[in-house]
Amino acid sequence: MHSLWQGKAPIYEALQNYQSMRVVPFDVPGHKQGRGNPELVKFLGQQCLSVDVNSMKPLDNLVHPVSVIKEAEELAADAFGADHAFFMVNGTTAAVQAMIMSVCKQGEKVIMPRNVHRSAINALIISGAIPVYVNPGVNKQLGIPLGMSVDDVKRAIEENPDAKAIFVNNPTYYGICSDLKTITELAHSHNMYVLVDEAHGTHFYFGSDLPVNAMAVGADMSAVSMHKTGGSLTQSSFLLKSDRLSTGHVRQTINLTQTTSGSYLLLSSLDISRRNLALDGKNIFNKVSSLANYARDEINKIGGYYAFSKELINGDSVFDFDHTKLSVYTREIGLAGIEVYDILRDDYGIQIELGDIANILAIISVGDRELALERLVSSLSEIKRLYTKDKSGMLDHEYINPDVIMTPQQAFYSPQRSVELKESDGHICAEFVMSYPPGIPILAPGERITDEIIDYISYAKAKGCFLTGTEDMSVKSIKVLEEK
């Protein structure tokens, strides 16, 4: 399987070596191995502060790796089956932006589903690339966006033969996968690159009986959030690429936005996590799968909830499903997902990943235990008993097809004014509105605001969703384009 010996962790080993040398620091960071900030040492520990160091010869340099980081990149590429792997310390956001910016220049088109993470649309604002949105299918009952259907992708390619790339979520936040292999073959036959957002797909590379990963189907680049399900520290990620793109060019693009002070805490966490998964990922994720399947079965026995899984597969817009995602539909008990989310946290001390207006999502990963899942199941059972109410009057859609008037960049940099959200119908939006998590825009710059969208935002706010993206922190007003 792996051509390199995966038992090494070069960055981690170099840091251990650095510690043993007892170097006197006259470089940054200024806390000098923690001596300048005793409160932080007390909070995070001496071990942590002593390796929060700057790039230096024995530790290599993330911007221009020639030794230990280079070796760690080669091991990561081998573990993920990629031609090259870049260590990312600005989050998967930076990886998504590097993917788009390395293949699309200003005025060039990229085909993408509209239910992308805001980082992809931000990449368009920065680069001036033009989105060709493929509206994802929608599951009417659950109110969730699905994957892209192959026919819709074909149509987008035929109508935009000059597009440079196709961008695909694998999986979506809820665990839904498009037919990545067919889409990749289609794109390549039309000389387009395939860029894959695998923020939630780290485990696809190491588990068994999971949806196919981007590198295995020959996609050109993939952004993988190692911190989400792979065990590394928050904000650490991998950008994987195939040999259809120049490593040097992609690195230069990454270096446009990635910090020159790469954190060795983040880098070593990626190195150690990659080693763990390469050596034992199959067992780790088999355990994760069985925990998620156990919890799903138990939740479905409660009644009133619907923990969905592979039965949604339809061979197209739901080509496959990531069964490690514990997504649960809650509207049958008369509660929005966000209401269940709040009750779980406030009354039961359980923090799940997200609640939206119809579903909750619990992330099951390398660090979960059976006991914790039993507690989640029994809490949901009790919530049903205590809080069930009439479901009439509940809003039922999660995804509204947008009316795109202009490119995100054009809208973002146009003259703007602020209007009350309730009076914004018909205006063109100049900023984002999204519920976080997952950070998928309800509105993005350049889209027409409609009454339906205003109702949705008001409903989400009333139910307690955390709305972000607007300059107005209370989301009462919204920036719109000045009419000519």
Side-chain angles (χ1 to χ4, degrees):
M1 158 112 174
H2 302 303
S3 56
L4 300 176
W5 180 59
Q6 285 289 332
K8 273 185 67 87
I11 299 172
Y12 166 57
E13 288 155 19
L15 284 169
Q16 285 183 309
N17 193 35
Y18 167 82
Q19 274 182 316
S20 69
M21 287 160 63
R22 303 175 67 95
V23 170
V24 179
F26 284 106
D27 60 351
V28 296
H31 63 67
K32 304 291 169 105
Q33 299 170 356
R35 282 186 286 278
N37 196 338
E39 293 92 340
L40 196 59
V41 174
K42 199 171 167 198
F43 182 51
L44 295 180
Q46 179 56 48
Q47 176 79 1
C48 177
L49 273 283
S50 71
V51 290
D52 179 38
V53 289
N54 190 33
S55 294
M56 60 187 76
K57 237 187 187 150
L59 294 179
D60 207 357
N61 190 310
L62 182 61
V63 171
H64 193 97
V66 292
S67 59
V68 291
I69 295 177
K70 180 171 184 278
E71 190 186 348
E73 286 184 343
E74 286 162 1
L75 283 161
D78 182 62
F80 283 88
D83 173 58
H84 196 89
F86 300 93
F87 278 60
M88 306 297 295
V89 294
N90 286 22
T92 307
T93 287
V96 166
Q97 292 174 348
M99 289 198 300
I100 292 173
M101 287 159 60
S102 58
V103 299
C104 294
K105 295 198 279 290
Q106 186 166 18
E108 294 181 338
K109 293 178 189 168
V110 54
I111 295 168
M112 56 169 59
R114 175 53 180 72
N115 58 324
V116 289
H117 187 261
R118 73 171 292 176
S119 57
I121 298 175
N122 281 344
L124 306 175
I125 292 174
I126 296 165
S127 68
I130 299 169
V132 174
Y133 289 127
V134 173
N135 285 320
V138 175
N139 179 303
K140 285 282 189 281
Q141 181 207 345
L142 304 174
I144 58 171
L146 305 174
M148 295 188 288
S149 85
V150 170
D151 281 347
D152 287 349
V153 173
K154 265 187 192 145
R155 193 173 312 114
I157 290 173
E158 280 159 15
E159 289 169 7
N160 302 276
D162 53 341
K164 286 283 182 261
I166 296 182
F167 185 96
V168 190
N169 295 321
N170 190 52
T172 69
Y173 220 102
Y174 299 96
I176 288 163
C177 299
S178 303
D179 184 352
L180 190 59
K181 187 171 191 294
T182 304
I183 290 170
T184 300
E185 286 163 0
L186 247 176
H188 285 169
S189 70
H190 288 84
N191 212 17
M192 295 175 189
Y193 292 110
V194 179
L195 315 175
V196 187
D197 180 345
E198 289 188 309
H200 290 269
T202 303
H203 44 298
F204 291 5
Y205 288 86
F206 302 99
S208 46
D209 192 31
L210 287 170
V212 71
N213 66 66
M215 291 298 115
V217 298
D220 299 295
M221 277 197 275
S222 163
V224 179
S225 290
M226 193 69 160
H227 69 93
K228 287 194 170 80
T229 56
S232 68
L233 289 175
T234 294
Q235 206 179 306
S236 62
S237 237
F238 282 122
L239 175 58
L240 310 175
K241 80 159 196 67
S242 77
D243 51 12
R244 286 182 82 226
L245 283 150
S246 141
T247 300
H249 171 65
V250 174
R251 190 181 308 281
Q252 297 283 45
T253 308
I254 291 169
N255 287 344
L256 290 174
T257 54
Q258 176 144 280
T259 176
T260 51
S261 310
S263 162
Y264 278 87
L265 302 178
L266 298 180
L267 294 173
S268 58
S269 82
L270 282 169
D271 203 22
I272 294 166
S273 304
R274 179 272 314 152
R275 181 171 72 178
N276 291 345
L277 296 188
L279 297 177
D280 197 32
K282 201 165 199 158
N283 290 329
I284 289 169
F285 290 118
N286 284 349
K287 183 184 156 216
V288 169
S289 292
S290 68
L291 284 174
N293 288 332
Y294 159 76
R296 185 177 293 110
D297 292 344
E298 292 299 308
I299 290 167
N300 283 332
K301 282 179 199 160
I302 297 169
Y305 296 107
Y306 172 33
F308 47 91
S309 184
K310 294 193 172 214
E311 70 282 354
L312 297 184
I313 291 174
N314 60 19
D316 194 14
S317 58
V318 188
F319 185 76
D320 207 346
F321 185 84
D322 172 12
H323 59 252
T324 70
K325 293 275 182 297
L326 188 56
S327 303
V328 186
Y329 177 71
T330 62
R331 277 187 56 239
E332 286 301 311
I333 61 167
L335 293 175
I338 188 66
E339 293 174 303
V340 176
Y341 169 102
D342 285 339
I343 296 166
L344 279 169
R345 188 192 56 242
D346 297 343
D347 297 359
Y348 295 91
I350 292 174
Q351 180 61 57
I352 55 170
E353 173 70 8
L354 99 118
D356 56 35
I357 66 170
N359 304 275
I360 57 171
L361 170 64
I363 297 280
I364 316 295
S365 73
V366 1
D368 279 298
R369 305 180 316 284
E370 196 161 327
L371 200 65
L373 282 162
E374 283 169 5
R375 189 169 151 191
L376 173 65
V377 172
S378 61
S379 302
L380 287 173
S381 178
E382 204 168 291
I383 288 169
K384 181 200 168 190
R385 192 167 56 77
L386 297 174
Y387 293 94
T388 296
K389 55 180 197 271
D390 182 12
K391 64 175 183 172
S392 60
M394 293 188 78
L395 205 61
D396 62 354
H397 50 245
E398 227 19 85
Y399 177 79
I400 301 167
N401 286 342
D403 181 10
V404 181
I405 308 298
M406 62 176 70
T407 69
Q409 188 185 57
Q410 193 185 348
F412 190 82
Y413 290 112
S414 290
Q416 304 165 4
R417 64 191 177 93
S418 193
V419 299
E420 291 277 311
L421 179 66
K422 56 182 189 292
E423 287 156 18
S424 63
D425 177 36
H427 287 286
I428 298 167
C429 190
E431 57 186 354
F432 288 100
V433 184
M434 61 210 128
S435 186
Y436 185 83
I440 294 162
I442 301 162
L443 272 172
E447 295 173 0
R448 174 123 19 232
I449 303 169
T450 63
D451 274 337
E452 186 188 17
I453 290 170
I454 296 168
D455 288 347
Y456 178 89
I457 293 169
S458 307
Y459 183 86
K461 253 171 78 173
K463 288 292 183 188
C465 289
F466 181 57
L467 293 174
T468 67
T470 47
E471 264 186 41
D472 171 17
M473 300 302 266
S474 63
V475 201
K476 288 195 177 78
S477 60
I478 190 164
K479 301 289 284 290
V480 298
L481 265 58
E482 290 274 13
E483 320 299 288
K484 295 208 167 43

